Amino acid sequence: MIDAKEHLDKIMQELRRGTITIGALSQLSEPQYGYSLVTMLSDKGIHVEPGTLYPLLRRLEKQGLLESKWDTNESRPRKYYLLSKTGKEVFDLLVTEWKSIAASLDQIIENKRGDENGDG
């Protein structure tokens, strides 16, 4: 039988998938390479594995949301990603949607808590 922690782990994995996209887009108004993005997100409490982030960046680039450029001036070439014009527009729309969903969920959760406490 699966315990509550195992259920939580699976649900959190699903939730993180969507939030990583928003988190990554939020940090790409300035050019970033993959590992710098992993570090920036981690510093802000969004932990993402490089093996998850790199395919996401490639997918977002293929969708036209990101532009990329190789920097070969360093000893190790790095691919830098930056929001495209469309990416900026999509990010703004995503933020609006995210805030709406979060507000709705907050309301539902608070109403549920009120019901449980006999307030509703």
Side-chain angles (χ1 to χ4, degrees):
M1 181 124 177
I2 298 176
D3 68 0
K5 173 109 174 68
E6 289 178 74
H7 283 294
L8 176 64
D9 289 346
K10 288 180 182 181
I11 293 169
M12 288 305 299
Q13 185 177 12
E14 291 174 21
L15 186 57
R16 274 190 214 102
R17 269 192 202 115
T19 58
I20 288 169
T21 300
I22 297 171
L25 292 175
S26 76
Q27 302 302 299
L28 291 170
S29 56
E30 297 290 327
Q32 299 293 329
Y33 60 96
Y35 187 74
S36 70
L37 188 55
V38 168
T39 303
M40 288 175 76
L41 291 170
S42 181
D43 290 346
K44 295 177 182 188
I46 300 173
H47 301 286
V48 57
E49 296 294 322
T52 300
L53 184 65
Y54 289 109
L56 172 66
L57 292 172
R58 287 191 295 273
R59 181 172 54 84
L60 293 173
E61 181 181 20
K62 189 175 182 181
Q63 292 171 345
L65 302 182
L66 300 179
E67 298 169 351
S68 69
K69 186 173 86 171
W70 282 97
D71 179 357
T72 56
N73 294 329
E74 301 290 322
S75 61
R76 184 178 195 179
R78 290 184 171 147
K79 189 173 188 179
Y80 282 80
Y81 294 91
L82 178 68
L83 281 177
S84 66
K85 183 178 182 222
T86 302
K88 289 175 188 173
E89 293 171 13
V90 168
F91 173 68
D92 289 341
L93 293 169
L94 272 173
V95 169
T96 299
E97 290 297 320
W98 175 262
K99 288 180 178 182
S100 175
I101 290 167
S104 296
L105 284 172
D106 284 344
Q107 187 175 9
I108 290 168
I109 291 166
E110 289 308 313
N111 287 343
K112 179 67 177 163
R113 286 185 175 161
D115 291 347
E116 290 172 354
N117 294 329
D119 295 339

